[in-house]
Amino acid sequence: MFDHPIFFGTIIFAIFAFSEWISILTKARIPMLFVVMISYLLLLWSGIIPKNIAEKSYFLQFSSILPAILIVHMGTIIPIRQLKEQYKAVLISLSGILVASLFIFAIIVPIFGYTVAASGIGPLTGGAIAYIITSGKLTELGLDSLITVPALILSVQGLIGMPLANYFLRKYGVQVVSSFRKNSLNEVAATIDKDSKNDQTNNKSLIPKKYQTQTILIFQVFIGASLAILLDSITGISYSLWALFIGLIGSYFGFYVGNILERANSFGILMALLLVLVMSSLNSVTPSMFTNYFPEVVLILSVGVVGILIGGYFSSKMLKWDPNKGMPVAITALIGFPGDYLLCEEVSRSIGKNKEEENAIFKELLTPMLIGGFTTVTIASVVIAGILMSTL
């Protein structure tokens, strides 16, 4: 009787609702995504929910196509003018993973050996693609048991990265809103006004307003996401970079309206469904995996996180960025998308007293966080994993 997909879907959204409640209750000091991942693991390990709950709800199939769609949407949020200023975010994010890699080699290799160190660096400094490269090479070498190390690192790194990034983002968000309230840094307000005017200008170009219906707006995003996937298969360049580029250019020339999925009243449900994909990545993690490779995973994570923080702090200082702004950008290596977006959204909502303040904080935090995440997770980690695995 209770084997209908609607019941499994209700359980999943109960996890999301509980996590959101905790985030609101703690004013985002405990991030929503962090609670989702912890709650899911506990329910999974206790046998309360089945491992295939995402498949049983029929959410998983649809959520697998959402990253490209949502990244196109991200491109419609970021003004191209701001991207010119984001070279510092790229350098800071790269500094973090470079220092982390050096630390791991210096400390882990003498203790656990080169292979263990190399298998942990790719997933630590990035995401699923780096993990796939690493696990594929380990399987090829007959080191199947060692796959537990990158799998665990990939699964739990967000549990460390999210609270850390949240801490620094909140500190910087308080500074932003304080300046906004005192009107001593009018650049924040001016940026929002300017971006708003740019959006209005761009949105008049190609699609008349009477045709900007929910269905047509969503169709436009699907076109961009499909094109990104096609270009990925042709060029070998990640679809996520193409999707961001398509969103940026499409918005700039007026094919997309700014913040397109919000205007289509679809962003909230799509982000929630994307969390199903994130949550399901924990399915292979078991309590016994933690005990068998606990020392290796803990030491790699500890050394790597310290390296990311040190690299992010000193590069922020060198580039004359507030460390509270720069360090979470470096920490995006542990989070990636959609965690970086959700954190910016939660922090701005918890600190801002009204929509104007929330927008001021969100606009200031989002662009460097997204750029940092794309730099580390999408590009650098794949390069690092590929190079290291070729040395085994």
Side-chain angles (χ1 to χ4, degrees):
M1 181 175 68
F2 292 103
D3 203 37
H4 194 280
I6 190 65
F7 297 114
F8 296 109
T10 301
I11 293 170
I12 288 173
F13 270 85
I15 296 171
F16 295 165
F18 170 74
S19 303
E20 185 83 349
W21 176 71
I22 293 293
S23 174
I24 294 170
L25 191 68
T26 62
K27 295 185 177 180
R29 288 181 175 85
I30 303 178
M32 181 254 197
L33 190 55
F34 176 82
V35 182
V36 166
M37 296 172 81
I38 290 293
S39 301
Y40 183 72
L41 278 176
L42 292 177
L43 291 170
L44 198 65
W45 291 349
S46 62
I48 296 174
I49 60 173
K51 184 180 291 188
N52 61 344
I53 187 172
E55 290 92 335
K56 284 179 173 287
S57 68
Y58 292 166
F59 287 162
L60 188 60
Q61 293 88 335
F62 181 65
S63 65
S64 64
I65 71 171
L66 290 180
I69 292 168
L70 288 165
I71 293 170
V72 171
H73 165 75
M74 296 298 128
T76 70
I77 297 175
I78 305 169
I80 286 182
R81 176 186 53 78
Q82 285 190 13
L83 289 178
K84 298 176 184 177
E85 305 165 6
Q86 295 308 317
Y87 72 92
K88 292 184 180 180
V90 173
L91 293 176
I92 289 169
S93 58
L94 290 176
S95 298
I97 62 174
L98 177 61
V99 175
S101 300
L102 293 174
F103 275 29
I104 288 173
F105 274 120
I107 297 173
I108 303 300
V109 171
I111 300 174
F112 295 114
Y114 180 83
T115 304
V116 171
S119 66
I121 289 178
L124 177 74
T125 58
I129 297 177
Y131 166 75
I132 291 169
I133 293 171
T134 302
S135 60
K137 184 64 176 181
L138 293 176
T139 301
E140 180 186 325
L141 296 174
L143 301 171
D144 297 70
S145 63
L146 197 56
I147 294 175
T148 304
V149 173
L152 280 177
I153 289 172
L154 177 68
S155 301
V156 304
Q157 62 181 354
L159 303 182
I160 300 170
M162 281 182 289
L164 279 173
N166 181 74
Y167 171 78
F168 292 114
L169 286 173
R170 283 185 60 83
K171 291 188 71 173
Y172 187 65
V174 168
Q175 296 175 36
V176 172
V177 80
S178 176
S179 298
F180 184 83
R181 289 169 185 165
K182 292 176 183 177
N183 211 23
S184 59
L185 286 178
N186 292 321
E187 292 179 5
V188 176
T191 297
I192 295 170
D193 292 339
K194 193 171 182 179
D195 292 343
S196 178
K197 290 175 183 176
N198 287 339
D199 285 344
Q200 291 172 6
T201 301
N202 290 339
N203 294 337
K204 293 177 182 177
S205 300
L206 299 178
I207 310 295
K209 192 165 185 178
K210 65 179 179 179
Y211 296 119
Q212 293 176 16
T213 65
Q214 294 181 18
T215 303
I216 291 175
L217 292 176
I218 293 172
F219 173 59
Q220 287 178 261
V221 180
F222 267 82
I223 291 174
S226 299
L227 181 58
I229 298 295
L230 178 62
L231 290 170
D232 181 329
S233 64
I234 294 172
T235 65
I237 299 172
S238 173
Y239 74 86
S240 60
L241 294 178
W242 283 118
L244 182 65
F245 177 76
I246 289 167
L248 286 165
I249 297 301
S251 179
Y252 181 78
F253 287 105
F255 178 70
Y256 293 127
V257 297
N259 211 3
I260 188 168
L261 287 179
E262 287 281 9
R263 298 198 186 200
N265 296 319
S266 306
F267 182 69
I269 184 65
L270 293 182
M271 280 299 291
L273 290 173
L274 183 65
L275 292 181
V276 175
L277 198 62
V278 177
M279 194 173 66
S280 299
S281 69
L282 301 173
N283 282 348
S284 61
V285 178
T286 64
S288 62
M289 288 169 68
F290 276 97
T291 56
N292 292 339
Y293 284 94
F294 185 78
E296 291 92 334
V297 171
V298 168
L299 193 56
I300 290 173
L301 283 170
S302 301
V303 172
V305 169
V306 169
I308 288 171
L309 292 175
I310 291 174
Y313 178 81
F314 283 105
S315 58
S316 297
K317 285 288 191 180
M318 289 173 62
L319 294 168
K320 298 181 179 178
W321 261 23
D322 186 325
N324 289 321
K325 179 181 180 180
M327 291 177 74
V329 171
I331 296 169
T332 54
L334 304 173
I335 305 168
F337 178 81
D340 47 12
Y341 182 93
L342 290 171
L343 284 172
C344 295
E345 188 177 49
E346 287 184 84
V347 168
S348 59
R349 183 183 62 200
S350 66
I351 296 175
K353 299 298 183 185
N354 52 53
K355 279 294 179 184
E356 191 178 30
E357 290 184 359
E358 287 182 27
N359 287 337
I361 301 166
F362 186 71
K363 292 270 188 181
E364 178 68 15
L365 299 181
L366 181 64
T367 306
M369 287 291 285
L370 286 180
I371 297 300
F374 282 120
T375 301
T376 54
V377 176
T378 306
I379 303 173
S381 67
V382 175
V383 174
I384 289 173
I387 292 172
L388 291 179
M389 290 302 100
S390 68
T391 63
L392 294 183

